[in-house]
Amino acid sequence: MKKMLVILTLISGFVFSQDYEMPGLGLYVGGVMGTIGGELAEDVDDMGAEMGYGLGGPLLGVSYATMLGNFPIFMGAGLGARTGKIDYTSIDDPYDMMPDEATISFQYLDFWASMPYPINDSMNLYGGMLFGMPLSGTMKMDDEDAEELADEALPTGMDYGVMFGLGYALPVMDGALALNMGYVLGLATLEDDIEPVSKWNHSGLFMSLNYDIPGM
């Protein structure tokens, strides 16, 4: 909790009071390149495997920009993703019983808020918070079809973390289309409902396209 307060203080101090054109209502779509940390990653390492980054998605939702006093605020809600990939190729497997890799993916309902700092007319830095509730999950072994995870294998609590990124208004459609790139650092220790209980956290890179609806 102390770490979160320090980060929030840095974010709020990062934003200056100045004129900033707010785009209003928008839509976004994108994907993530995520990984898994915590005790689960340590267990994977102990068995001789390696936890890495996996591609996941979609990110799909609605955004809204407004002013909170003198401060610009971006908010949004929609489908989010968390993922991670386990590489088993370094494990000695003479009978070829293990897959080469396994990708764990979770679909989330996400809520987020951020404060931008304009660099110029088309680019800004931002920092904020992300909160999410798990909806479903899958496990994919090598090239096989992904299989749904049981409810007991889903995280039992809310995920939350801090995000930092860069937004760039593309020189098309009068600047209504923007590219967002950033990083989310997960702060929540998540766990499933299977004995023995696994504990982990999510972090990763994200990229999205945001379309500002004209007149909204």
Side-chain angles (χ1 to χ4, degrees):
M1 187 64 183
K2 185 179 296 183
K3 182 190 297 185
M4 184 186 299
L5 291 175
V6 171
I7 294 173
L8 286 174
T9 301
L10 291 174
I11 291 173
S12 62
F14 180 65
V15 182
F16 297 163
S17 172
Q18 56 182 287
D19 292 335
Y20 191 81
E21 185 178 352
M22 305 305 289
L25 188 66
L27 303 172
Y28 65 88
V29 60
V32 302
M33 183 69 74
T35 190
I36 293 172
E39 292 184 11
L40 180 57
E42 294 175 1
D43 292 341
V44 168
D45 185 66
D46 289 343
M47 67 184 293
E50 182 179 351
M51 184 68 75
Y53 282 82
L55 184 64
L59 304 181
L60 183 64
V62 178
S63 63
Y64 185 72
T66 187
M67 296 295 294
L68 183 62
N70 293 323
F71 296 97
I73 299 292
F74 281 81
M75 301 175 289
L79 290 178
R82 315 284 193 275
T83 188
K85 181 182 290 186
I86 305 173
D87 185 346
Y88 294 101
T89 55
S90 57
I91 296 179
D92 185 19
D93 184 21
Y95 299 104
D96 197 26
M97 299 291 291
M98 301 183 67
D100 289 337
E101 63 181 33
T103 302
I104 306 170
S105 301
F106 297 100
Q107 199 75 58
Y108 268 72
L109 175 62
D110 279 340
F111 303 90
W112 54 268
S114 66
M115 293 182 178
Y117 175 72
I119 299 175
N120 53 42
D121 290 341
S122 61
M123 189 178 299
N124 68 81
L125 298 172
Y126 59 85
M129 295 292 299
L130 172 72
F131 301 88
M133 293 297 296
L135 299 175
S136 62
T138 62
M139 173 76 79
K140 178 178 173 61
M141 301 290 189
D142 293 332
D143 294 328
E144 298 178 3
D145 293 337
E147 296 186 2
E148 291 286 333
L149 293 176
D151 291 343
E152 294 79 8
L154 299 181
T156 57
M158 174 179 288
D159 191 17
Y160 58 89
V162 293
M163 62 180 185
F164 302 92
L166 173 69
Y168 175 66
L170 300 174
V172 296
M173 304 173 67
D174 294 327
L177 192 64
L179 176 65
N180 290 292
M181 300 172 289
Y183 180 79
V184 174
L185 174 63
L187 301 178
T189 298
L190 306 170
E191 58 183 57
D192 57 26
D193 203 19
I194 299 175
E195 294 294 340
V197 172
S198 297
K199 296 184 178 182
W200 72 94
N201 57 62
H202 291 288
S203 297
L205 304 168
F206 66 88
M207 180 180 292
S208 66
L209 283 174
N210 193 100
Y211 174 66
D212 299 325
I213 302 174
M216 300 295 287

